[in-house]
Amino acid sequence: MIQTLTLYTRFWLLVVLAAPCSLPLVDCFTAQPLSLRVVPSWPTTTTTTTTTRQGINSPRLHDVWPSSTFGGQRIRRDTLLKAAPMAMVTSSLPGVEWFVLAHIVGGFLPIPFVIGATRKVKGIDPNDKDLGGWYTRIQLPTWTPPNAIFAPVWILLYGSMGLSLHMVLRHPQMTASRRRMAALLWAVHYFSNLSWAPLFFGLKRLRAGLWVNGWLVVSLLVWMALIGHFLPAAAVLLTPYLVWVVFATFLNSAVCRLNPTKNGCNEARFQDDLIKLRQRAADYANGT
């Protein structure tokens, strides 16, 4: 009877002293730091002991304070302590609107190369008043989308990229080192995306653009696999982008097939050089 009362008294004493642990140190889902509370020292008379491998009795804090209750789940005290510095790092990240805006603005950087390949130039002769750029003069597949579709599609895709990256970097499982690694991996993919237009439209390297498209597909699949196991929503946001990149790869392949490279020159370079030659001839004829 006395032993039963002693165990009962120890149980309630354990509940009272472990109560501060029930308050989480940080909200692991919203990364909002909460107030910290001082935990009273554990009396030596009530500390449970366990036998180590060497046979010596030593107190273990996790035996009497193993975890805390938060959101219906059991969270270990050491996990809560590790989450506190992560919350401070996460709170220093810019807002989601900055991620979205930065991706969209970055996507507009290669636009001059696109305009230079598709814009209409001044008429060279009376029979050809509105001569377009070299991209309008080469052979394109019949299923090529209108040029007006590309801008709004890419705005939506770049916005979804920024939103997905923001979700990944703010996830509770992303420590500072993991966050830096994730940002580096995504930066490699993102700048590879931006390099396609200068290669394809600026340098007229049609096959090099095809290789870049293939790399974008592979690297995007790897990225989606990496983030999909702990944040499926971020991977789902990139699904339209994956579909569009795959479509662009097939379109780039068809353009290469219709305009093959012969003796180091393809139809794109030939049409671009022809336009420049006609412009020079027109300027010479006009005395300018």
Side-chain angles (χ1 to χ4, degrees), residues 188-203:
V188 172
H189 176 87
Y190 181 72
F191 286 107
S192 298
N193 177 290
L194 298 182
S195 68
W196 180 84
L199 280 175
F200 187 91
F201 290 109
L203 299 178

Side-chain angles (χ1 to χ4, degrees), residues 146-208:
N147 295 336
I149 292 181
F150 288 92
V153 167
W154 275 113
I155 290 176
L156 294 176
L157 295 180
Y158 281 125
S160 64
M161 293 182 209
L163 178 58
S164 176
L165 181 62
H166 182 267
M167 294 172 61
V168 171
L169 297 183
R170 288 187 65 89
H171 194 271
Q173 294 185 10
M174 297 297 291
T175 60
S177 58
R178 291 179 180 178
R179 188 174 291 109
R180 287 192 296 267
M181 181 59 65
L184 177 62
L185 292 177
W186 179 253
V188 172
H189 176 87
Y190 181 72
F191 286 107
S192 298
N193 177 290
L194 298 182
S195 68
W196 180 84
L199 280 175
F200 187 91
F201 290 109
L203 299 178
K204 278 78 67 177
R205 300 281 185 176
L206 306 184
R207 290 186 297 182

Side-chain angles (χ1 to χ4, degrees), residues 160 163-165 167-168 223-224 227 231-239:
S160 64
L163 178 58
S164 176
L165 181 62
M167 294 172 61
V168 171
W223 172 262
M224 293 175 67
I227 67 175
L231 193 57
V236 172
L237 277 174
L238 295 177
T239 302

Side-chain angles (χ1 to χ4, degrees), residues 240-270:
Y241 173 48
L242 175 63
V243 174
W244 183 261
V245 171
V246 172
F247 170 77
T249 303
F250 281 104
L251 180 61
N252 197 159
S253 177
V255 172
C256 292
R257 186 173 61 254
L258 294 174
N259 303 274
T261 300
K262 297 180 179 179
N263 298 325
C265 182
N266 54 33
E267 187 67 17
R269 293 184 181 180
F270 174 77

Side-chain angles (χ1 to χ4, degrees), residues 13-30:
L13 183 61
L14 175 64
V15 171
V16 172
L17 294 178
C21 186
S22 61
L23 295 176
L25 299 179
V26 66
D27 187 340
C28 296
F29 299 98
T30 59

Side-chain angles (χ1 to χ4, degrees), residues 29-50:
F29 299 98
T30 59
Q32 297 295 329
L34 303 180
S35 60
L36 301 180
R37 302 185 64 179
V38 178
V39 180
S41 60
W42 191 263
T44 56
T45 56
T46 56
T47 303
T48 58
T49 58
T50 56

